[in-house]
Amino acid sequence: MRKKQRALEVIERLRKEYPDADCTLDYDDAWKLLVGVRLAAQCTDERVNIVVKDLYAKYPDVNALADADVSDIEKIVRPCGLGKSKARDISACMKILRDEYNGGIPDTFEGLLKLPGVGRKSANLIMGDVFGKPAIVTDTHCIRLVNRIGLVDGIKDPKKVEMELWKIIPPEEGSDFCHRLVFHGREVCTARTTPHCDRCCLEDICKKVGV
């Protein structure tokens, strides 16, 4: 089975398995997703969702967070790890949103990448979830699974994985596909235990690389 054919089959099966899969970070405004993805670096989405409740209770909008002392932000976000750098990036990012975007966020990939603490993974997530644009989010689940399944060949660099996936994933499918990989990676094709191949909807077409 060629990679493009396998990719389309994987997309279809994961759609049936996880029809409602979406972003696992809680947010109701675009700027909150920006904050969430920064905090999620080397931290679980579950922990981020708990921590941001206190953050937003104290700083409910872009202006309030932009005006906050970095040290006060750090005290709240410290449980997410890397508190100092995350607080610094969040503060700088909110100041830019306040001063240059009237509290909104950039609506281009290039504009998002210019924000402090925003890399390709975060920019893709926001482009897909907020703006409904083509996006491929190469988080740890995505990288692990597409290598195991055989959609890419032994590539671990996030940008290189993204570029390879763009060749075989229809643009309109990328965002949902990556969300479904997260669900599948947590529930079935796990990282810290032996993958549960016996209950995997991809078992007969997976190359099982590295399993």
Side-chain angles (χ1 to χ4, degrees):
M1 185 181 290
R2 299 170 71 95
K3 284 182 182 176
K4 197 157 191 174
Q5 182 184 0
R6 178 180 284 110
L8 294 176
E9 184 66 25
V10 170
I11 288 169
E12 190 57 35
R13 293 190 188 190
L14 291 180
R15 180 187 289 113
K16 292 178 181 176
E17 196 77 6
Y18 310 100
D20 302 318
D22 56 11
C23 183
T24 52
L25 289 168
D26 293 338
Y27 71 98
D28 54 12
D29 283 300
W31 68 270
K32 290 182 179 179
L33 183 55
L34 264 176
V35 172
V37 294
R38 182 64 188 97
L39 292 177
Q42 298 181 41
C43 180
T44 65
D45 290 358
E46 290 82 2
R47 182 180 294 274
V48 171
N49 289 337
I50 294 170
V51 169
V52 293
K53 290 179 181 178
D54 292 335
L55 185 68
Y56 301 149
K58 188 170 184 179
Y59 306 111
D61 54 42
V62 169
N63 289 340
L65 199 48
D67 290 338
D69 289 337
V70 176
S71 60
D72 290 335
I73 298 174
E74 182 187 349
K75 289 174 187 174
I76 298 174
V77 305
R78 188 175 291 137
C80 294
L82 305 174
K84 195 176 294 293
S85 63
K86 289 180 179 180
R88 185 178 62 243
D89 286 342
I90 288 170
S91 177
C93 188
M94 293 303 110
K95 284 180 169 63
I96 293 172
L97 298 190
R98 177 194 63 192
D99 298 341
E100 298 182 22
Y101 294 96
N102 195 32
I105 67 171
D107 60 1
T108 66
F109 192 75
E110 294 73 20
L112 288 167
L113 285 179
K114 292 179 181 177
L115 296 175
V118 176
R120 295 188 66 87
K121 181 179 76 172
S122 300
N124 268 300
L125 179 64
I126 292 163
M127 289 302 291
D129 279 43
V130 174
F131 299 112
K133 300 287 182 65
I136 289 178
V137 182
T138 50
D139 64 1
T140 54
H141 291 292
C142 173
I143 294 170
R144 183 177 76 256
L145 267 64
V146 297
N147 273 282
R148 279 181 177 172
I149 295 166
L151 299 183
V152 302
D153 300 317
I155 305 174
K156 300 300 173 66
D157 178 77
K159 184 178 179 180
K160 290 180 180 177
V161 170
E162 180 192 335
M163 294 302 108
E164 287 302 304
L165 291 178
W166 279 121
K167 298 175 184 177
I168 58 174
I169 304 294
E172 69 278 7
E173 297 286 355
S175 182
D176 288 342
F177 170 65
C178 292
H179 285 322
R180 290 176 178 126
L181 287 177
V182 171
F183 279 73
H184 196 62
R186 289 176 178 173
E187 297 178 14
V188 179
C189 197
T190 51
R192 296 182 181 180
T193 64
T194 302
H196 304 289
C197 298
D198 57 315
R199 53 185 176 89
C200 178
C201 63
L202 307 174
E203 198 275 336
D204 61 313
I205 59 170
C206 176
K207 285 196 169 184
K208 301 179 180 65
V209 178
V211 173

